[in-house]
Amino acid sequence: MQRINLEPVSRAIYIDFEGNVDREPTFLGSHHIDAKTGTDVFTQYVHEDIFHSATKTKAQCVNKSIEEAFEYLATIAYRENRIFLAWSTREKLAIETFISNKKLKEFVLSRLFDSKRVARRWKNRFHRNVTFERLPRQGRHRLSEYMNLIGYHVPSTAGPGNTGQRLRTVREQLVRRNGDYENLTAVSKGKWTKVLSHNYHDCVGMREVTLAAMKDLKTFKFGK
């Protein structure tokens, strides 16, 4: 059991995987505020080999495996006593599945919390009159609904619903072109850019939702 408040939430590392079902995530988005400068730190760690050439034109992208990405993020979390926040349990399952270093996995999971639980408690307590539509395979409590609730703007091209299809299209073209991103069509390059933008807004928007919720809730208790 652990109780958190606004302070650790404001300093948390917000994470969000993007990928297709039944395969290792393609990349991980990570966002936090630098402790010394107060500036945003946003990085996208590209795991899937076939996408590695696609990082060259994107300053925020680096090629690292899931294990390498979390070795770096865990160092920050340990040194600066930060927690990890993700939306729902998808990230937890991916970490359990794809990190082989037992100590690293245990450390990350011990500091990983579910932002959706905080947001749901907040909505039930402070926004009972708001109803979210339940969608097949997506449920009712989607991050996009909470971002709308707090007035966080997401460009239409970066909204939910198209990420999986866009990644499949880019992957198929990269395979046909031997992993050469520069030889992709303009349409495929645009799809990659939109996936990255969607991930950015998921990470930053998740932080804004969680901060808004915690300002009203004051504290939140995880565990039994």
Side-chain angles (χ1 to χ4, degrees), residues 18-222:
E18 302 293 350
N20 294 113
V21 179
D22 298 328
R23 64 186 303 147
E24 185 172 348
T26 299
F27 68 91
L28 171 75
S30 167
H31 176 258
H32 68 276
I33 305 300
D34 185 89
K36 293 182 179 179
T37 65
T39 58
D40 287 17
V41 180
F42 178 69
T43 308
Q44 290 168 317
Y45 301 94
V46 179
H47 316 310
E48 192 173 347
D49 289 350
I50 197 66
F51 284 83
H52 279 183
S53 67
T55 68
K56 296 177 181 178
T57 60
K58 310 296 181 182
Q60 78 278 11
C61 291
V62 294
N63 294 330
K64 287 185 183 294
S65 68
I66 293 177
E67 194 127 342
E68 290 170 336
F70 278 103
E71 285 173 354
Y72 177 74
L73 293 173
T75 299
I76 298 173
Y78 177 79
R79 184 178 65 234
E80 301 178 3
N81 191 27
R82 296 176 185 257
I83 62 173
F84 294 96
L85 283 168
W87 194 261
S88 74
T89 59
R90 183 182 63 167
E91 278 66 30
K92 179 177 183 290
L93 292 173
I95 290 165
E96 289 174 337
T97 304
F98 297 110
I99 293 182
S100 59
N101 183 314
K102 185 178 179 180
K103 288 185 177 180
L104 175 63
K105 182 188 301 187
E106 289 177 350
F107 175 82
V108 173
L109 291 176
S110 72
R111 293 182 178 233
L112 177 63
F113 298 95
D114 185 349
S115 283
K116 184 192 285 186
R117 290 183 59 190
V118 178
R120 289 185 65 170
R121 173 77 59 80
W122 172 67
K123 178 186 177 300
N124 290 339
R125 186 174 297 178
F126 295 95
H127 297 278
R128 294 179 181 177
N129 61 317
V130 176
T131 301
F132 297 153
E133 179 185 2
R134 182 182 296 276
L135 297 181
R137 298 184 299 278
Q138 297 183 48
R140 190 187 307 276
H141 295 276
R142 302 177 300 282
L143 176 57
S144 58
E145 296 285 3
Y146 284 90
M147 289 194 287
N148 286 336
L149 184 58
I150 66 167
Y152 179 90
H153 174 69
V154 178
S156 59
T157 56
N162 298 307
T163 300
Q165 175 270 326
R166 286 168 173 165
L167 282 174
R168 281 190 291 271
T169 298
V170 177
R171 183 184 297 110
E172 290 168 2
Q173 282 212 10
L174 284 168
V175 169
R176 289 199 296 269
R177 288 160 173 77
N178 298 313
D180 186 355
Y181 177 78
E182 292 304 322
N183 282 333
L184 296 190
T185 64
V187 171
S188 288
K189 289 180 179 178
K191 289 180 183 292
W192 175 241
T193 298
K194 290 172 184 176
V195 169
L196 296 178
S197 178
H198 167 77
N199 177 255
Y200 168 81
H201 287 287
D202 272 3
C203 289
V204 177
M206 183 188 352
R207 181 176 190 272
E208 294 303 313
V209 167
T210 314
L211 285 173
M214 193 57 70
K215 286 175 182 177
D216 287 336
L217 291 171
K218 308 304 181 186
T219 65
F220 186 89
K221 183 174 69 174
F222 287 94

